[in-house]
Amino acid sequence: MYIAREATKLWRKVSAETTAELQLLLEKWQLLLAGLVFQYIHGLAARGVHYLHRPGPLLQDLGFMALPELGQEKGYLSESVFTFIFISFLLWSFHPFIYHSKRFYTVLLWRRVLAFLVASQFLRIITFYSTQLPGPNYHCREGSKLATLPPPNNALEVLLINFPRGVLFGCGDLIFSSHMIFTLVFVRTYYKYGSNRYTVNLVVFFVDKKLPEMPDRTNGLPLLPVSSKDKDGRTKEELHKLDGRMRDEFHKLLNGNTVDATDRRQRLQMNGKHGEDMSHSVSDATPTGT
């Protein structure tokens, strides 16, 4: 009975989410379709620059000097890590269909993701067609049969991307990595819309523990220590009192509570009254003289 009840709840949840997402898809399908089409255009551009690639000597790079190569027999590790990130993000983006901790709509999420991917990939296409570098990967080096592609026999051969060989063994598109674009966009999206941001929380915890709390400067307190007496001979107590009055005036200015004409008039009247009282008291206390 418990399984049947939970299965019924899950089916209602999936049905409700599917209905809501389909309504959004009918409204926002144009940009989603444009983003998917551009992924194909990006693949064609990467294949086109492979025709122009010419192997050459490896360029000096500090990254390769700092991090040793994995080796040709361990090249699958990079693709395995990227595949895990890609599939994990894909599954996570559809979790609102099952879980109740809903923070976004899947259609709107992928709409934003594809928009970022299109902008980044457009810049990538411009860069690797503007500057063509010899690929450092093993299949792009001199002596490899995959370093250059033979001229196409017809247009259909260019338009048909050989997957996954054309994706995994591309050369010439190396100004910045397509894998890195996807990874950064996925991680940034999860950081913004995810609920369990373990990596970021660990970094914040480490920084909070290792670095002292920053002083609050909104109250106008001085950041440098104050000696017991300043150059005018005022003590700390007098300076704190003066700083308190200045802080009050500062908050009044920030809040827009400036002294208007009515308050000024009342203060003048108060001062005048005190002055009259003081003059009367002085005149009463002064002997008339006989």
Side-chain angles (χ1 to χ4, degrees):
M1 291 180 61
Y2 175 78
I3 295 176
R5 183 171 64 252
E6 293 300 323
T8 303
K9 292 181 180 180
L10 179 61
W11 174 250
R12 291 176 181 175
K13 172 68 174 174
V14 173
S15 301
E17 291 297 329
T18 302
T19 303
E21 296 287 351
L22 284 177
Q23 293 178 356
L24 288 174
L25 183 61
L26 293 176
E27 297 176 0
K28 312 293 184 181
W29 65 271
Q30 295 92 345
L31 287 179
L32 286 172
L33 181 60
L36 293 176
V37 170
F38 194 84
Q39 301 306 307
Y40 172 72
I41 296 175
H42 174 257
L44 287 182
R47 181 173 176 81
V49 79
H50 196 174
Y51 285 105
L52 303 176
H53 176 260
R54 295 295 180 267
L58 298 181
L59 302 179
Q60 297 295 324
D61 187 270
L62 293 178
F64 284 101
M65 295 179 183
L67 299 176
E69 297 181 4
L70 295 176
Q72 190 172 5
E73 66 280 359
K74 296 182 179 179
Y76 67 92
L77 293 177
S78 175
E79 298 299 329
S80 300
V81 172
F82 175 75
T83 303
F84 172 77
I85 294 175
F86 188 92
I87 295 177
S88 299
F89 181 83
L90 181 65
L91 295 177
W92 170 80
S93 66
F94 286 92
H95 87 274
F97 285 82
I98 300 176
Y99 294 97
H100 293 280
S101 58
K102 183 182 182 68
R103 300 188 62 184
F104 57 84
Y105 290 97
T106 302
V107 171
L108 299 182
L109 179 78
W110 275 103
R111 188 166 176 258
R112 294 178 62 89
V113 168
L114 288 173
F116 275 97
L117 290 177
V118 167
S120 302
Q121 291 168 344
F122 177 75
L123 296 176
R124 181 172 186 262
I125 292 173
I126 294 177
T127 54
F128 64 60
Y129 269 104
S130 301
T131 304
Q132 299 167 19
L133 302 177
N137 212 331
Y138 294 100
H139 64 270
C140 298
R141 299 179 181 180
E142 294 180 336
S144 175
K145 297 181 180 180
L146 300 176
T148 57
L149 292 179
N153 297 322
N154 49 52
L156 185 61
E157 185 178 346
V158 178
L159 297 177
L160 292 178
I161 301 175
N162 187 7
F163 184 83
R165 183 174 180 177
V167 177
L168 299 179
F169 296 98
C171 298
D173 52 341
L174 291 176
I175 296 298
F176 49 96
S177 171
S178 177
H179 286 32
M180 186 58 64
I181 291 176
F182 278 95
T183 302
L184 290 178
V185 172
F186 289 168
V187 171
R188 175 60 183 166
T189 304
Y190 180 75
Y191 170 73
K192 185 175 180 62
Y193 298 103
S195 57
N196 298 322
R197 299 179 293 234
Y198 297 110
T199 305
V200 178
N201 290 336
L202 287 175
V203 173
V204 173
F205 175 79
F206 178 79
V207 172
D208 288 341
K209 288 295 183 182
K210 294 299 181 181
L211 296 180
E213 187 69 22
M214 290 292 292
D216 187 9
R217 297 186 61 179
T218 57
N219 54 5
L221 291 177
L223 296 180
L224 298 177
V226 182
S227 59
S228 59
K229 286 189 179 182
D230 65 349
K231 62 181 181 180
D232 295 332
R234 291 176 295 188
T235 62
K236 278 187 177 181
E237 290 76 10
E238 294 175 349
L239 290 174
H240 282 301
K241 290 180 181 179
L242 179 61
D243 183 69
R245 290 195 296 269
M246 294 175 63
R247 190 162 58 245
D248 293 339
E249 294 296 333
F250 177 73
H251 285 298
K252 287 181 180 180
L253 290 175
L254 286 180
N255 297 327
N257 299 327
T258 56
V259 180
D260 54 4
T262 305
D263 295 337
R264 192 179 295 109
R265 193 180 303 111
Q266 292 177 356
R267 290 187 180 182
L268 290 175
Q269 292 176 358
M270 295 278 296
N271 294 333
K273 183 177 180 181
H274 287 302
E276 293 177 358
D277 295 338
M278 291 178 64
S279 61
H280 285 304
S281 60
V282 171
S283 60
D284 293 338
T286 306
T288 57
T290 51

